[in-house]
């Protein structure tokens, strides 16, 4: 089943985000290589694809996991979580309707 992982950054998380980004992207690449990643990306703090120094306010990942517990465990081990980039992480089942 698909799960949405919605994370909100802590205030002043940008230095920690930059430092943990390579490890975070490696884990996402593993999901993609396994054919389990639907989409992933950050939420810019301003209405712009490249917010520069304004940075990001959180992230969204939609991926396939065997259970909510597996999705939660994967999210809990994310490098951004370990680096204290996120102040909260929510994992919810997700039903993709479109595109097919």
């Amino acid at each position: 089943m698909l799960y949405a992982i919605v994370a909100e950054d802590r205030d002043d998380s940008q230095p920690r985000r930059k430092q943990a980004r390579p490890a975070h992207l490696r884990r996402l690449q593993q999901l993609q290589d396994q054919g389990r990643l639907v989409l992933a990306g950050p939420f810019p703090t301003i209405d712009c694809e490249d917010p520069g120094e304004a940075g990001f306010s959180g992230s969204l990942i939609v991926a396939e996991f065997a259970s909510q517990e597996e999705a939660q465990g994967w999210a809990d081990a994310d490098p951004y979580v370990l680096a204290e980039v996120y102040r909260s992480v929510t994992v919810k089942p997700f039903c993709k309707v479109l595109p097919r």
Side-chain angles (χ1 to χ4, degrees), residues 32-88:
Q32 183 174 339
D33 292 347
Q34 296 166 1
R36 297 169 48 201
L37 183 65
V38 175
L39 64 88
F43 298 115
T45 56
I46 58 175
D47 189 9
C48 176
E49 280 193 41
D50 181 4
E53 291 301 313
F56 300 96
S57 65
S59 303
L60 170 65
I61 299 166
V62 178
E64 184 178 345
F65 294 94
S67 67
Q68 186 157 356
E69 292 76 22
E70 182 185 327
Q72 186 68 59
W74 189 92
D76 290 345
D78 189 279
Y80 281 173
V81 170
L82 302 177
E84 298 182 344
V85 171
Y86 298 144
R87 67 176 161 84
S88 68

